[in-house]
Amino acid sequence: MILIGKDNDATLDRIKNALSTSVRFLCQYRWLTDTFSLDYFCDQQWNELPLCWRNFLPSIDLPEAVYFVDPSEATNTKKVWPLSLLAFRSCIEQCLEWRKLLSTSALFDTLQSSVPTEHGQVIEMTDLFRKHVKAKKQHEIINTARLVSDLSKHLNCDCVIDMGSGVGHLCRLLSFQYGLHVVGLEGNPNHVVGAIKYDSEMLSLSRRVDSAPTHQQPHHVAQIVHSRIDPQLLLPSDHQALLVGLHSCGDLSCSLLRSFVDSECVHGLVCVGCCYMKLTDGYPMSSYLKAVQNYELSYEAKEAACHFIEDYKLRLTGADNSHLKIHCYRAALEVLIRRRNPQLRRVGIRPKKKSHLMSFHEYAHVCLEKLNLPVEIDDEEESLVADMLQHWREVVLLYSLRLALAPVVESLILLDRLLFLVEKDYRAGLVQLFDAHVSPRNVALIAVKH
């Protein structure tokens, strides 16, 4: 893993170029990023596309849409794509060029991918640590713990503060298996109670199998996490620490970065962000991006950056992609909702699992009933619905175009955070910590002070 600083002029120029290029590109396609597919019919979104795209896209098979969802995908089609659509794809590829700087093997030799086995478990984790932990979380905490352990040795830090520690899965692994002094900060008191309970369960179970951990158990603190917390108050005197955030939601990631900058006792940082749409004051962070015109990101754009693209690609290219009709169902339902109550827009609805197996009328009946709206569909609406459902492929294609921009939005956020730390004169880097097919928010921001 390469950690860069102010002295890495060529790399910094490359990052700044990626940021400015991405901003210009996203500004040009705000009409695509700043929308939701549920507004497809209400806002007549198809008409926003260039005419040549509208004429061409209906001619492709849905699996071919993966060609612009993922620029790394090759296409075997003999169709002649519009030049502007090819340029759109090429620009996305250019905005993501910086990813070649990502490391999958770190400065620390032991970092490597740990993927769940066919039995849904991570081999490196013993049964003691697997209890209560799903396969995805196992993959995340074993890779994070290995990196944190190596970074702590590199910096000669034996203390870790896990900000937003949840029920303490990572804390237990770092404490009991790696022997680190761990403090877990968690804003939800119920999670703290759960963490202490799971610690006790582990100790009890380990004694029964004669493999009791020799290290002290983690210390869990119920505390709303913000950048004004002084980490020194949580540590033994004269100790240095690493700050860790595994899938820190929204502004929590920014609080980690600011705590790292402001706290003399903190010498290292490992932060994996998520839930970008919950950012309120954490973008942009770097002075460079603040000086770039039109840097703002809408809620819709940040929400797009949170999607599981690898999973969507599988659904798009699967043998049966008709289940993607659900995007059209929701867009058609939005029309019915607004006809009944024009003030009710983009309301969150969770009908049933596998709702794509329902007919539209079953789906609409369940949803309208949940919203306490009339469920009857009159003759005029029957005709309207029938027409809308014929366009389900176009809804999916437009959704795919929007999703193609999601990695560019995420890159903007990640590079902004990286540059923020470098501007503060720290060495920082980005590392691909997880398998994207297992955990889509898979890039960790790492920083050190010496």
Side-chain angles (χ1 to χ4, degrees):
M1 177 180 60
I2 301 172
L3 298 181
I4 64 169
K6 284 185 174 180
D7 55 335
N8 298 99
D9 294 338
T11 304
L12 283 176
D13 287 344
R14 196 170 168 184
I15 289 171
K16 290 176 180 178
N17 181 62
L19 283 168
S20 57
T21 300
S22 297
V23 167
R24 290 196 304 271
F25 179 60
L26 290 172
C27 283
Q28 186 175 347
Y29 288 98
R30 279 193 192 278
W31 55 269
L32 198 50
T33 59
D34 295 3
T35 60
F36 284 125
S37 58
L38 62 82
D39 293 324
Y40 179 89
F41 296 113
C42 293
D43 294 346
Q44 298 183 319
Q45 290 176 355
W46 188 254
N47 293 335
E48 295 292 329
L49 295 174
L51 180 60
C52 58
W53 294 21
R54 279 182 272 157
N55 291 335
F56 170 76
L57 288 172
S59 72
I60 70 172
D61 298 323
L62 283 185
E64 291 181 273
V66 77
Y67 178 61
F68 47 77
V69 171
D70 183 352
S72 67
E73 293 284 343
T75 178
N76 296 320
T77 182
K78 294 182 179 179
K79 298 183 178 76
V80 179
W81 288 59
L83 189 58
S84 56
L85 190 53
L86 292 175
F88 171 81
R89 181 181 182 276
S90 179
C91 284
I92 292 173
E93 207 166 2
Q94 183 181 347
C95 290
L96 302 180
E97 268 288 306
W98 70 271
R99 290 195 171 190
K100 293 177 181 176
L101 298 172
L102 277 177
S103 301
T104 50
S105 60
L107 171 67
F108 321 104
D109 294 336
T110 57
L111 182 63
Q112 50 189 296
S113 182
S114 297
V115 184
T117 69
E118 65 271 18
H119 303 295
Q121 304 292 328
V122 171
I123 296 171
E124 294 93 327
M125 292 186 72
T126 64
D127 290 340
L128 283 174
F129 294 105
R130 287 176 182 163
K131 192 174 183 183
H132 305 297
V133 187
K134 294 181 180 179
K136 174 179 177 287
K137 193 70 174 179
Q138 290 179 29
H139 174 72
E140 293 164 353
I141 65 174
I142 191 68
N143 279 288
T144 304
R146 192 186 294 119
L147 173 59
V148 170
S149 174
D150 286 344
L151 186 57
S152 70
K153 292 173 186 174
H154 180 72
L155 296 174
N156 197 27
C157 293
D158 63 350
C159 297
V160 174
I161 300 174
D162 183 1
M163 298 180 77
S165 55
V167 292
H169 295 313
L170 178 61
C171 292
R172 273 183 293 283
L173 194 60
L174 290 170
S175 180
F176 292 141
Q177 182 159 315
Y178 288 95
L180 293 165
H181 176 94
V182 182
V183 177
L185 278 185
E186 171 54 46
N188 187 330
N190 292 330
H191 288 341
V192 173
V193 172
I196 295 170
K197 175 187 172 185
Y198 290 163
D199 288 352
S200 299
E201 278 184 16
M202 175 173 283
L203 288 169
S204 176
L205 182 60
S206 64
R207 292 189 187 104
R208 273 184 260 158
V209 297
D210 196 28
S211 61
T214 56
H215 305 292
Q216 62 182 318
Q217 65 189 74
H219 179 52
H220 302 283
V221 179
Q223 169 72 61
I224 299 296
V225 181
H226 50 75
S227 56
R228 295 185 300 277
I229 290 174
D230 183 1
Q232 186 66 70
L233 300 177
L234 305 168
L235 303 173
S237 60
D238 300 324
H239 278 248
Q240 300 166 353
L242 268 86
L243 281 186
V244 178
L246 174 52
H247 286 148
S248 304
C249 183
D251 290 333
L252 178 56
S253 292
C254 310
S255 293
L256 256 78
L257 270 63
R258 292 182 179 121
S259 291
F260 170 78
V261 169
D262 295 338
S263 305
E264 290 185 12
C265 66
V266 175
H267 283 208
L269 170 75
V270 175
C271 177
V272 183
C274 69
C275 305
Y276 303 123
M277 68 283 195
K278 294 183 180 180
L279 286 169
T280 57
D281 65 348
Y283 174 85
M285 295 190 74
S286 69
S287 298
Y288 176 80
L289 197 53
K290 285 177 180 177
V292 174
Q293 202 171 16
N294 297 318
Y295 60 76
E296 296 90 351
L297 287 175
S298 66
Y299 175 91
E300 293 88 347
K302 289 180 284 190
E303 188 274 339
C306 297
H307 282 256
F308 194 167
I309 291 182
E310 296 300 328
D311 179 67
Y312 181 71
K313 282 164 55 181
L314 292 176
R315 289 187 282 138
L316 197 60
T317 56
D320 179 19
N321 50 34
S322 62
H323 57 282
L324 293 172
K325 285 183 180 179
I326 194 64
H327 295 292
C328 184
Y329 278 16
R330 183 62 186 87
L333 176 69
E334 188 71 9
V335 173
L336 298 183
I337 291 172
R338 295 190 193 182
R339 284 172 68 95
R340 287 155 176 73
N341 183 351
Q343 305 307 313
L344 205 56
R345 294 166 178 258
R346 296 182 176 180
V347 63
I349 311 170
R350 294 185 179 273
K352 288 181 182 178
K353 287 186 176 180
K354 298 185 177 179
S355 53
H356 63 277
L357 298 177
M358 304 165 69
S359 71
F360 175 76
H361 287 77
E362 292 170 330
Y363 171 84
H365 188 280
V366 170
C367 294
L368 292 172
E369 194 170 53
K370 281 179 177 285
L371 296 173
N372 294 317
L373 294 173
V375 297
E376 296 79 13
I377 297 177
D378 60 32
D379 291 343
E380 180 187 356
E381 288 179 333
E382 285 283 3
S383 176
L384 183 61
V385 166
D387 180 64
M388 288 189 291
L389 295 183
Q390 288 181 13
H391 295 279
W392 74 271
R393 292 178 75 263
E394 284 91 336
V395 177
V396 173
L397 286 167
L398 194 77
Y399 178 79
S400 301
L401 284 169
R402 177 174 178 259
L403 217 56
L405 294 169
V408 181
V409 177
E410 183 175 28
S411 295
L412 201 59
I413 294 169
L414 292 174
L415 291 177
D416 172 55
R417 293 174 177 180
L418 172 66
L419 197 55
F420 166 76
L421 293 172
V422 174
E423 288 174 348
K424 299 293 183 182
D425 211 14
Y426 303 118
R427 302 196 75 81
L430 294 165
V431 61
Q432 186 175 313
L433 193 54
F434 312 132
D435 184 327
H437 294 87
V438 179
S439 183
R441 307 282 73 76
N442 67 336
V443 176
L445 175 59
I446 298 165
V448 297
K449 287 186 176 176
H450 62 78

